[in-house]
Amino acid sequence: MSNLHRPTSLRAKPRSTLSSGTVASSLALAISSTFIANVNAEEVRLDSLVVEDNAIQPDSNPYAQPGAVYKAKKLSGSKHSRDIAETPATMTVLTKEAIADSGKTELKDILSAQPGITLGTGEGGNSFGDRYIIRGYEARSDIFTDGLREPGLISRDTFALEQVEISKGPSSTFAGRGSTGGSVNSVTKKASLDDDFTELSGGLGTDDYQRYTLDSNKVINDDLAVRFNVLYSEAGIPARDPADEQRQGALLSGVYQASEDLKVSADYYHYRADDRPDLGTRLVDGKPYKGQGYPGIKNLDFQRSGADTLTLTFDYQLNSETRLENKTRYGKTTNDYVSTTKQASRTTPVTLSNRTFAGWQDNTYVGNQTNLIIDKEIGGKRHTIITGIELAQEKVKGATDAFLATGRSDGNAYNIDFSTNRATKQHSPTTDLTLNTASAYLMDTITLNQDWELFGGLRYDYFEYDLWLAASNGRGGPVPEKTYQYEDGFLNGHLGVVYSPWEDGNIYANVSSSSNINGGEADSAGNCGYGGICTDADGNYSNAKPEQSINLELGTKWNLMDEKLLLTAAVFRITKDDVIEGGNDSYQSGGSLNTGKNRVEGVELGLSGNLTPKLSGQFGIAVMDSETLESFNAENVGLPKANFADESANLQLRYQATPKFAVGGNATYSSEIKGGQPDAGSSGRVSIPGYSVYDVFATYQFNNQFELRANIQNLTDKEYYTAVYRGGSIVYIGDARSANLTLSYKF
């Protein structure tokens, strides 16, 4: 068998690499010595050999630490060759058990509870949908599934996930463009050749909540297995009637062991979300209006998103030291919405008017990734080399509107008749983007000796950008049809070192970089201030350098409690330079190219795993500071970043009171968040207050087949707000108190 992923932590002291022959010889010598030393004894006594059963159950997470339901042992992708405890970077990994206990089923709810992550809102310049901000930087395009980018602002559910991997800090070496503050990789459930199993679950709760899932694995023969996951759910938004949501999804996965060395796997993912969204409330004097908000127009508002994705993977073991992996993905995502809210006049706050956002967007993604993984001794040192190429094409078509009920429209996404509350979709797009990317990378992890490991890597990305914008009626008057075409490339790298003289802990340092391109946020098209393409004052494309980010991090990781508890701590500094700013009016294409610079620095602590044999926990806290260092507008210098929480924390505990009964809870804290334009600094004119929210849960295992789980979200019914944007016309409201019961049956 290959030793490609043999973790450093398994190497006994002294930590030199031991071959199987050396081990066998050592055992033989030890046994012989024992017999020789006792040759005249009447009785030979040997110590008992204890074999710990760490066999993975067929329906368990293959990446988790055995015996520690809240601790992930390793990441799923082949680009990270060491266990999480030995990788020099901040990483938060949520296992499926931790996700299930939390009671959260939306990826945005799970991520927004994590330290260092906040949510952004949609507005006129970018589409509505799940929008993440990691360590103060946009990450809505830095979402991956099983190691491949998954573009599109869509709702994402957890029904088919093994774990969620959050990598912090810039690293285009792993992720390609973007990833300034970090990236998110969702790991899906895969078919298994180990055994047959089926799990059915059904849940009922307040606000007409109902949720049903199926997870079934079937071994066809010794070489072929299939797995099927199904979801149906619907619920009202607590205290926000008529806002509600409906989810339907399926994941079909198969694995075929074609030979001892070749494994072929494939999966097809289908997902649909049909919601009546809630745009929250308005602001009065720069603060959220407390009381009844405006959940939209019942028979008009909707948001429908969907995904259909097919992935094919070949995994070939060339020899004991070399493995070849190839992934191909074809996927389509859709996002359609009409959402209304009430907008207050800045001069007369009591005067309200309807404000409506409407749009549609279709994303098509084709990608291929090939990785060659080599693990061998070179020059007397162990090298784990990962090299590969990645080809991708993203196509985005769509249209967006932001207008008042009585007048102006910026686009033609939908025709809306407010007398009948009906919307008619315009099928002709107003934006059409094609983004082709070709990438090559090389990474190496070198075990220098028993105490030192060195990590390094380089990646080059070449891209071709082609954006067509239809003629429109902008705020400054008619805007003619435009086409923007350009090509460029950028090089990024990372370098890290791990010093581990102790058996259970290490100290590490790393430096990593990332780059993002002009127009890198595909959903924003020609809206410069939202991450779309920026041009000169005349609306013509002018060469802009990619934005550059550098991350410096110093940290420590400790694998305790027989490797069932991981403690982490890190100090970091991210500096983003050559920032492309939105100019004085982000609704226009014209901006200020490579004129900005900002910085985020802070401390992040983490814990995951077993605190005692009965108490499990997942904990994280981030204390950060942000500052605008340079800007096209001198008034921005010194301002903090918008959509940024200086302090955030999350704690989830599970106490196994008896073999059958467990109880636990979740506490989430965020400090004040100020609104404003991304990367331009926040004046603090609009803001949402900090908050603390508490959830509780309990589970009871009747027998090996039946389990009952109860969840209460927002136990104290706290009124809180999760996101604010720009002028404050959108302030999202956190969910009120809700409760549900889920019964699961395994066989």
Side-chain angles (χ1 to χ4, degrees), residues 94-137:
L94 308 174
T95 65
K96 68 177 183 180
E97 292 84 3
I99 294 172
D101 283 347
S102 75
K104 295 176 171 61
T105 59
E106 298 284 315
L107 185 61
K108 68 177 177 62
D109 296 330
I110 293 168
L111 293 180
S112 65
Q114 301 308 308
I117 301 181
T118 52
L119 295 180
T121 69
E123 197 162 317
N126 62 286
S127 297
F128 281 86
D130 294 354
R131 182 177 166 208
Y132 313 111
I133 299 169
I134 302 178
R135 286 184 172 173
Y137 294 99

XYZ file of all heavy atoms in Angstrom, residues 94-137:
324
model
N -15.411 21.744 10.182
C -16.631 21.353 10.871
C -17.052 19.971 10.385
O -17.329 19.775 9.198
C -17.738 22.373 10.591
C -17.358 23.832 10.872
C -18.467 24.764 10.416
C -17.060 24.035 12.344
N -17.086 19.011 11.289
C -17.484 17.657 10.931
C -19.002 17.587 10.772
O -19.735 18.462 11.242
C -17.038 16.660 12.010
O -17.749 16.955 13.227
C -15.539 16.762 12.263
N -19.463 16.516 10.145
C -20.911 16.391 9.939
C -21.643 16.209 11.265
O -22.806 16.612 11.397
C -21.227 15.237 8.991
C -20.943 13.847 9.518
C -21.373 12.795 8.502
C -21.163 11.392 9.036
N -21.572 10.361 8.061
N -20.958 15.637 12.269
C -21.585 15.494 13.585
C -21.770 16.855 14.247
O -22.806 17.137 14.854
C -20.735 14.584 14.472
C -20.697 13.128 14.039
C -19.673 12.847 12.959
O -18.930 13.790 12.579
O -19.602 11.703 12.487
N -20.772 17.717 14.141
C -20.893 19.062 14.701
C -21.976 19.858 13.982
O -22.732 20.609 14.600
C -19.551 19.788 14.612
N -22.057 19.679 12.669
C -23.088 20.375 11.885
C -24.476 19.889 12.292
O -25.397 20.691 12.501
C -22.844 20.167 10.383
C -21.544 20.854 9.951
C -24.021 20.693 9.571
C -21.120 20.535 8.540
N -24.631 18.573 12.428
C -25.937 18.017 12.799
C -26.363 18.501 14.182
O -27.517 18.894 14.390
C -25.885 16.493 12.750
N -25.440 18.495 15.153
C -25.780 18.938 16.507
C -26.188 20.406 16.529
O -27.057 20.807 17.314
C -24.599 18.724 17.450
C -24.432 17.272 17.866
O -25.365 16.475 17.622
O -23.367 16.929 18.414
N -25.575 21.223 15.694
C -25.888 22.654 15.685
C -27.321 22.926 15.260
O -27.887 23.970 15.608
C -24.930 23.401 14.760
O -25.260 23.184 13.393
N -27.901 22.014 14.489
C -29.255 22.214 13.992
C -29.329 23.144 12.803
O -30.420 23.400 12.276
N -28.199 23.663 12.344
C -28.170 24.570 11.193
C -28.056 23.755 9.911
O -27.214 22.873 9.796
C -27.002 25.553 11.320
C -27.135 26.505 12.509
C -25.911 27.400 12.639
C -26.107 28.486 13.669
N -26.363 27.984 15.030
N -28.900 24.081 8.944
C -28.923 23.319 7.699
C -28.496 24.140 6.487
O -28.346 23.588 5.404
C -30.329 22.760 7.441
O -31.266 23.855 7.359
C -30.747 21.819 8.556
N -28.324 25.454 6.658
C -27.880 26.323 5.571
C -26.392 26.620 5.754
O -25.947 26.942 6.861
C -28.659 27.636 5.576
C -30.150 27.478 5.358
C -30.471 27.194 3.896
O -29.913 27.864 3.017
O -31.282 26.299 3.648
N -25.626 26.539 4.678
C -24.204 26.802 4.766
C -23.940 28.224 5.254
O -23.014 28.457 6.037
C -23.539 26.574 3.402
C -22.019 26.707 3.370
C -21.361 25.694 4.290
C -21.498 26.564 1.943
N -24.760 29.188 4.853
C -24.541 30.572 5.275
C -24.708 30.715 6.792
O -23.993 31.501 7.422
C -25.479 31.522 4.538
C -26.952 31.389 4.873
C -27.777 32.428 4.152
C -29.267 32.256 4.425
N -29.603 32.414 5.848
N -25.642 29.988 7.391
C -25.837 30.064 8.835
C -24.659 29.438 9.583
O -24.255 29.922 10.644
C -27.133 29.371 9.234
C -28.360 30.058 8.661
O -28.316 31.284 8.469
O -29.363 29.364 8.392
N -24.124 28.372 9.032
C -22.982 27.709 9.659
C -21.748 28.598 9.582
O -21.038 28.805 10.568
C -22.713 26.356 8.968
C -23.875 25.398 9.241
C -21.402 25.756 9.426
C -23.843 24.164 8.396
N -21.497 29.169 8.400
C -20.301 29.983 8.226
C -20.385 31.286 9.004
O -19.393 31.747 9.577
C -20.069 30.263 6.741
C -19.710 29.052 5.881
C -19.505 29.470 4.433
C -18.467 28.351 6.394
N -21.562 31.919 9.028
C -21.683 33.211 9.702
C -21.466 33.093 11.201
O -21.167 34.086 11.867
C -23.051 33.830 9.413
O -24.094 33.054 9.968
N -21.613 31.881 11.747
C -21.370 31.671 13.180
C -19.892 31.484 13.499
O -19.511 31.514 14.672
C -22.162 30.453 13.665
N -19.057 31.307 12.474
C -17.646 31.034 12.706
C -16.864 32.326 12.905
O -17.166 33.353 12.300
C -17.057 30.240 11.536
C -17.733 28.915 11.288
C -17.827 28.067 12.538
O -16.820 27.838 13.217
N -19.013 27.589 12.848
N -15.843 32.307 13.755
C -15.062 33.523 14.005
C -14.350 33.999 12.743
O -13.849 33.190 11.955
C -14.061 33.080 15.073
C -13.986 31.591 14.951
C -15.351 31.157 14.520
N -14.342 35.319 12.555
C -13.658 35.896 11.409
C -14.460 35.912 10.137
O -13.949 36.348 9.098
N -15.729 35.445 10.184
C -16.560 35.408 8.979
C -17.821 36.220 9.220
O -18.495 36.062 10.243
C -16.928 33.964 8.590
C -15.653 33.151 8.330
C -17.821 33.947 7.356
C -15.912 31.720 7.915
N -18.143 37.101 8.284
C -19.378 37.873 8.332
C -20.127 37.682 7.022
O -19.603 37.117 6.062
C -19.096 39.368 8.566
O -18.140 39.822 7.590
C -18.541 39.610 9.950
N -21.364 38.162 7.000
C -22.186 38.068 5.800
C -22.290 39.430 5.135
O -22.282 40.464 5.793
C -23.593 37.569 6.143
C -23.721 36.153 6.690
C -25.190 35.843 6.976
C -23.139 35.132 5.728
N -22.413 39.405 3.819
C -22.720 40.601 3.059
C -24.119 40.495 2.492
O -24.747 39.439 2.522
N -24.618 41.604 1.967
C -25.959 41.623 1.393
C -25.880 41.810 -0.107
O -24.851 42.189 -0.658
C -26.781 42.782 1.975
O -26.240 44.014 1.491
C -26.742 42.770 3.486
N -26.980 41.540 -0.758
C -27.113 41.933 -2.146
C -27.536 43.388 -2.227
O -27.973 43.988 -1.253
N -27.371 43.989 -3.391
C -27.909 45.316 -3.626
C -28.016 45.492 -5.130
O -27.902 44.530 -5.886
C -27.062 46.412 -2.977
C -27.828 47.719 -2.868
C -27.237 48.691 -1.869
O -26.862 48.265 -0.783
O -27.170 49.870 -2.207
N -28.199 46.720 -5.579
C -28.417 46.940 -7.002
C -27.259 46.511 -7.872
O -27.444 46.179 -9.029
N -26.037 46.554 -7.321
C -24.879 46.293 -8.151
C -24.421 44.857 -8.176
O -23.543 44.513 -8.953
N -24.945 44.003 -7.321
C -24.574 42.596 -7.360
C -25.782 41.746 -6.987
O -26.720 42.217 -6.362
C -23.396 42.298 -6.425
C -23.708 42.577 -4.971
O -23.785 43.717 -4.552
N -23.894 41.518 -4.206
N -25.738 40.496 -7.376
C -26.904 39.633 -7.220
C -27.158 39.297 -5.756
O -26.253 39.322 -4.921
C -26.696 38.332 -8.001
O -26.575 38.596 -9.383
N -28.412 38.954 -5.454
C -28.754 38.439 -4.144
C -28.365 36.969 -4.076
O -28.468 36.230 -5.042
C -30.249 38.599 -3.884
C -30.625 39.990 -3.487
C -30.887 40.953 -4.446
C -30.683 40.351 -2.159
C -31.212 42.242 -4.090
C -31.023 41.633 -1.788
C -31.285 42.593 -2.757
N -27.961 36.565 -2.890
C -27.583 35.181 -2.668
C -26.622 35.115 -1.498
O -26.304 36.119 -0.860
N -26.140 33.909 -1.195
C -25.221 33.717 -0.081
C -23.893 34.417 -0.386
O -23.229 34.118 -1.377
C -24.980 32.228 0.160
C -26.240 31.528 0.630
O -27.246 32.214 0.871
O -26.213 30.287 0.740
N -23.513 35.343 0.482
C -22.315 36.151 0.262
C -21.492 36.148 1.533
O -21.949 36.585 2.582
C -22.718 37.573 -0.118
C -21.543 38.483 -0.427
C -22.025 39.848 -0.872
N -20.944 40.797 -0.848
C -21.106 42.089 -0.652
N -22.303 42.577 -0.447
N -20.064 42.890 -0.659
N -20.240 35.652 1.442
C -19.395 35.476 2.605
C -18.225 36.454 2.575
O -17.681 36.770 1.511
C -18.868 34.041 2.672
C -19.938 33.010 2.449
C -19.958 32.223 1.302
C -20.959 32.840 3.375
C -20.955 31.291 1.093
C -21.959 31.902 3.173
C -21.951 31.137 2.022
O -22.950 30.216 1.815
N -17.823 36.900 3.751
C -16.681 37.793 3.898
C -15.787 37.183 4.967
O -16.196 37.030 6.119
C -17.135 39.212 4.298
C -18.029 39.794 3.208
C -15.934 40.112 4.545
C -18.749 41.064 3.605
N -14.560 36.785 4.585
C -13.636 36.110 5.491
C -12.502 37.066 5.843
O -11.837 37.598 4.956
C -13.071 34.826 4.859
C -14.208 33.864 4.475
C -12.109 34.134 5.819
C -13.726 32.599 3.794
N -12.318 37.282 7.127
C -11.299 38.198 7.632
C -11.383 39.559 6.937
O -10.370 40.197 6.656
C -9.899 37.602 7.498
C -9.616 36.502 8.506
C -8.195 35.976 8.422
N -7.922 35.061 9.538
C -6.815 34.342 9.665
N -5.856 34.430 8.748
N -6.629 33.547 10.706
N -12.606 39.989 6.647
C -12.821 41.305 6.079
C -12.767 41.386 4.573
O -12.944 42.473 4.009
N -12.568 40.259 3.881
C -12.414 40.281 2.431
C -13.474 39.411 1.757
O -13.814 38.330 2.243
C -11.015 39.808 2.039
C -9.933 40.762 2.505
C -9.202 40.501 3.668
C -9.656 41.930 1.801
C -8.223 41.375 4.107
C -8.672 42.813 2.232
C -7.961 42.533 3.388
O -6.995 43.405 3.825
